[in-house]
Amino acid sequence: EIPNPDYAEDKELYVRCKDCTHIGFELWQVKSGTIFDDILVTDSFDEAKSYAEETFSKKKGPEKEMFDAAEAEKAEKEKEKMEAEQAASKDKDTSSDEEEEDHDEL
């Protein structure tokens, strides 16, 4: 929580707009690729729970599987990159040793 000396709670905030037909969101993405969907505005816990079961709960498993697969692929590519860099570094060290041996013969 960030201190805000100008903040004052408005207990009647909901009264300001009785005939509102729209709502706005300011969404800040912390990580690229974040998706916001299935947004529900309600004052009913039961309705929210039912809606979550129909939407979020059905997608939760498959979305996690897709995420895990993408992370595994990313890790595999990173591993391959590191191995290639190590092999290139080893080849460079080997060729440097050979050059030094050539100079010793002079």
Side-chain angles (χ1 to χ4, degrees):
E1 190 170 305
I2 300 171
N4 182 353
D6 297 327
Y7 174 77
E9 184 177 1
D10 183 352
K11 293 192 184 264
E12 295 187 4
L13 185 61
Y14 67 94
V15 177
R16 289 187 185 171
C17 186
K18 292 182 180 183
D19 298 321
C20 290
T21 60
H22 297 79
I23 186 167
F25 291 93
E26 180 178 3
L27 302 173
W28 293 43
Q29 284 186 270
V30 176
K31 185 176 179 182
S32 178
T34 303
I35 299 171
F36 294 91
D37 61 354
D38 299 329
I39 296 171
L40 173 70
V41 179
T42 182
D43 61 354
S44 169
F45 177 77
D46 292 335
E47 182 181 3
K49 186 175 179 181
S50 174
Y51 188 79
E53 288 170 0
E54 294 171 15
T55 58
F56 172 75
S57 297
K58 288 181 180 179
K59 293 187 278 183
K60 184 176 164 184
E63 285 180 353
K64 179 161 179 17
E65 290 171 11
M66 289 173 51
F67 175 80
D68 291 345
E71 288 295 305
E73 183 179 336
K74 183 177 162 183
E76 183 63 29
K77 286 180 181 180
E78 189 65 31
K79 179 181 173 186
E80 290 172 1
K81 180 181 175 185
M82 285 180 52
E83 288 173 351
E85 289 173 357
Q86 289 174 347
S89 177
K90 187 176 181 180
D91 289 345
K92 185 178 179 182
D93 290 343
T94 304
S95 67
S96 294
D97 291 343
E98 290 173 1
E99 288 177 15
E100 287 180 20
E101 289 176 12
D102 291 341
H103 293 292
D104 289 341
E105 293 176 7
L106 292 175

